[in-house]
Amino acid sequence: MKNATGNLANLVVVCVCVAILVAFFYFTLWPMIKNNYISQTSCEKAKCLPKPDQNGMVTCYLDGQEFLCKFKG
């Protein structure tokens, strides 16, 4: 019985650690990845001005919205 209780405690610790890692990924890393993907695809679909500003950014337009993208040449 003592051995089974020890195994159960280990299982609970492992489950809590996995839950913490999943929550960290879902609430911290995933929003950054998603926003980067959305901005990257928006810049590829948009129509941009031909000349960049002094920071290397170019003004782009997509669906009536104006935003900045990196100039790709």
Side-chain angles (χ1 to χ4, degrees):
M1 191 60 145
K2 196 175 200 181
N3 190 16
T5 305
N7 287 342
L8 182 62
N10 288 340
L11 178 67
V12 169
V13 168
V14 169
C15 288
V16 168
C17 290
V18 168
I20 290 171
L21 289 174
V22 168
F24 176 75
F25 176 79
Y26 185 74
F27 291 112
T28 305
L29 296 177
W30 181 247
M32 291 188 301
I33 293 170
K34 184 179 176 184
N35 288 336
N36 187 25
Y37 174 75
I38 289 171
S39 67
Q40 186 97 20
T41 56
S42 295
C43 285
E44 290 174 359
K45 294 177 187 176
K47 297 199 183 250
C48 301
L49 298 178
K51 294 187 180 180
D53 61 5
Q54 67 272 12
N55 296 329
M57 302 296 280
V58 63
T59 304
C60 297
Y61 301 95
L62 179 66
D63 296 331
Q65 294 180 343
E66 179 180 324
F67 51 92
L68 294 174
C69 294
K70 291 181 183 176
F71 183 67
K72 296 182 180 177

